[in-house]
Amino acid sequence: MNELSNLKLFSQLSLKQVEDRLLLTADFPKEFLTENKMKEPFLYVTLYTRGGERIKIIDEATTKIFYPAKHEMSPEIRKYIVDFAKSQAKQFRVQSK
């Protein structure tokens, strides 16, 4: 995936001093949706307070879960998602400003 736009926070769960989990909506490229047979995907982002993150793409319509490997997502898109998630997450908001 080389493009993604219009990220928005949908929901958030914060486990104090452990992690923040965020559900993000986005406009996915049509070719990505077609290739992965997804209709209503959202991003499930987990940020760990001790470092690291995990990104999953879950399709609400088909319940498919896609774990994008590093080579399947451009570094710029991955950084865009993580930076946006950190700007919305309770435990990371101060660090990202």
Side-chain angles (χ1 to χ4, degrees):
M1 182 175 4
N2 292 321
E3 61 181 88
L4 187 71
S5 61
N6 202 23
L7 282 176
K8 293 181 184 171
L9 177 66
F10 182 78
S11 181
Q12 173 178 307
L13 170 66
S14 184
L15 301 174
K16 191 173 184 181
Q17 297 179 349
V18 178
E19 64 188 33
D20 278 317
R21 298 178 185 192
L22 300 98
L23 299 179
L24 306 176
T25 61
D27 293 335
F28 289 82
K30 288 184 183 182
E31 58 273 359
F32 174 82
L33 298 177
T34 303
E35 183 179 313
N36 292 288
K37 298 179 180 144
M38 294 186 164
K39 296 178 184 176
E40 298 175 36
F42 62 88
L43 294 158
Y44 182 89
V45 182
T46 305
L47 302 171
Y48 299 100
T49 57
R50 294 185 181 205
E53 67 277 329
R54 181 174 292 163
I55 299 173
K56 298 178 192 174
I57 301 170
I58 302 172
D59 185 42
E60 193 168 26
T62 63
T63 66
K64 288 184 180 184
I65 301 174
F66 179 67
Y67 300 91
K70 293 210 182 218
H71 71 276
E72 295 174 307
M73 183 179 286
S74 75
E76 296 82 15
I77 293 299
R78 186 172 191 83
K79 181 176 179 351
Y80 173 56
I81 293 168
V82 171
D83 287 349
F84 180 82
K86 284 182 178 181
S87 75
Q88 302 296 309
K90 290 180 183 178
Q91 298 183 83
F92 293 86
R93 203 171 287 143
V94 174
Q95 296 175 12
S96 65
K97 288 186 177 178

